[in-house]
Amino acid sequence: MKKVVSGADEAIKDINSGATILFGGFGLCGIPENCIAAIVRKGINNLTCVSNNAGVDDFGIGLMLHGKQVKKMISSYVGENAIFEQQLLSGELEVDLIPQGTLATRALAAGYGMPAVWLLAGIGTEVAEGKETRTFNGKEYVLEEAFDADFAIVKAWKGDTQGNLIFKGTARNFNPMMAMAGKITIAEVEELVPAGELNPDHIHVPGIYVKHIFQGVNYEKRIENRTTRKPPTP
Amino acid sequence: MALTKEQIAKRIAQELQDGFYVNLGIGIPTLVANYIPEGVDVVLQSENGLLGMGPFPFEGEEDADMINAGKQTVTFLPGSAVFDSAMSFGMIRAGKVDLTVLGAMEVADNGDIANWKIPKKLVKGMGGAMDLVAAAKNIIVAMQHTNPKGESKLLPRCTLPLTGVHCIRKVVTDLGVFDITPDGFKCLEYAPGVTIDEIKAKTLGRLVIADDVKEMAV
């Protein structure tokens, strides 16, 4: 079993124009920086990206927007990105906005082999329009389908040569369920270790879900909204 | 005098009960964390995957892997737990979060809320708001009573695309505290210096005044 690849360029070599890709990350936290850079280098386009957010102008998925590589974004919130706005208004970019929990759960369903799930979010709103609904215990639910995506790209804190992944802090966010949902999942990690070094009890995503893994380099880990408080006065 | 944003937050903080798990939205709701009453132990949930959210870090101690749903750097309190987004919305959906506080563009007297989209303007997305309003047991809206044009945000029916239906229980504005009842908005408290006549004039939805209406203590 060879899951370890040399780097981002090798990891994404099978991703071609027109692919649907699931991305881990919340804002800029826990995004697969190396793979995004490799997709930009490769220059593929016409991509459908499922990601909670669309990055900012000069980082994250925003870098792919610059090269007009994205045809469609499926996200819950896309507020921090002027180039996104520009491409949306000019009609170059399609966007499908869905509730954040629905986004997470449609990915979860895919990873658990469930074709669809009944969810509360969006009932009575335009989100549920045209979709099947059903009442359970007096409450109405909307049927939401699992994502069907060729690829998932995630970023973990630590991983091993078996593809097992561990995340750190709130950089976990969408990464585990996206990792589980992709037909082919690529994981980049801050620290890649030999099998046996990670405690099996600590694994968040077991390697069965991961096809390619590599040691990432030069992580910027940019903070989107740095907020601090004053130290206490002595 | 109408309340400041801080005073709205302070009044909402009085609704917190010991042992509550609470999700605070972006804007005025975030400020509620600054006024948690002494002796009341609450756990703050951040929907990007954190229970036990603490204050902002001291300068130099920011960690890119420790953020809240507003993408701000935060700290983790002792006893905190992190989890993925699916579990985060799982606990919200399952009714484990006791109280949600969020902002709104419009609230209707039947408990409908609109807070994510203005047609023909740029749409940024609903984030987690639709999931929260659909599932939370107890939702308080924190907002200004009127919009920047001076128009009432407490309406007979929402005019903007809905975020959720029949879900809001209570609204705290700069003018007063209102429960949503079958009779519409029920004014329980008015801000110091604000008259009932002013509240009536600025509320477009059905409004009743509680028999024991009183001045807000902030």
Side-chain angles (χ1 to χ4, degrees), chain A residues 28-205:
Chain A
L28 301 179
C29 182
I31 59 171
E33 297 180 19
N34 284 214
C35 284
I36 290 171
I39 288 170
V40 170
R41 277 194 296 275
K42 192 172 179 188
I44 50 175
N45 55 34
N46 221 17
L47 302 172
T48 295
C49 297
V50 181
S51 169
N52 189 54
N53 312 94
V56 295
D57 275 341
D58 60 344
F59 203 57
I61 289 175
L63 297 171
M64 292 162 58
L65 294 168
H66 271 282
K68 302 192 175 172
Q69 294 178 280
V70 183
K71 175 186 73 173
K72 183 177 183 182
M73 281 297 312
I74 301 174
S75 304
S76 87
Y77 189 80
V78 293
E80 333 293 347
N81 200 318
I83 190 155
F84 185 96
E85 188 175 330
Q86 203 181 4
Q87 293 187 7
L88 188 63
L89 293 172
S90 70
E92 291 169 282
L93 179 67
E94 266 178 79
V95 64
D96 190 2
L97 292 169
I98 63 177
Q100 195 175 136
T102 300
L103 183 74
T105 310
R106 287 176 66 187
L108 186 86
Y112 277 72
M114 303 184 293
V117 284
W118 294 104
L119 299 179
L120 275 170
I123 284 290
T125 77
E126 61 188 60
V127 164
E129 274 170 24
K131 292 178 184 162
E132 198 176 336
T133 63
R134 186 165 158 186
T135 301
F136 297 91
N137 299 321
K139 260 191 187 168
E140 197 183 5
Y141 294 77
V142 58
L143 190 66
E144 295 281 5
E145 291 185 16
F147 287 121
D148 179 16
D150 314 309
F151 296 94
I153 304 180
V154 302
K155 188 249 171 182
W157 177 46
K158 288 184 180 177
D160 69 15
T161 50
Q162 291 288 321
N164 296 309
L165 304 177
I166 296 176
F167 304 91
K168 179 168 163 274
T170 54
R172 192 179 324 182
N173 58 59
F174 283 86
N175 280 298
M177 76 231 59
M178 295 307 191
M180 292 167 65
K183 289 195 183 72
I184 293 175
T185 292
I186 298 160
E188 55 175 87
V189 298
E190 286 182 55
E191 189 184 351
L192 182 66
V193 299
E197 282 202 15
L198 301 179
N199 183 335
D201 284 331
H202 294 173
I203 304 297
H204 294 131
V205 173

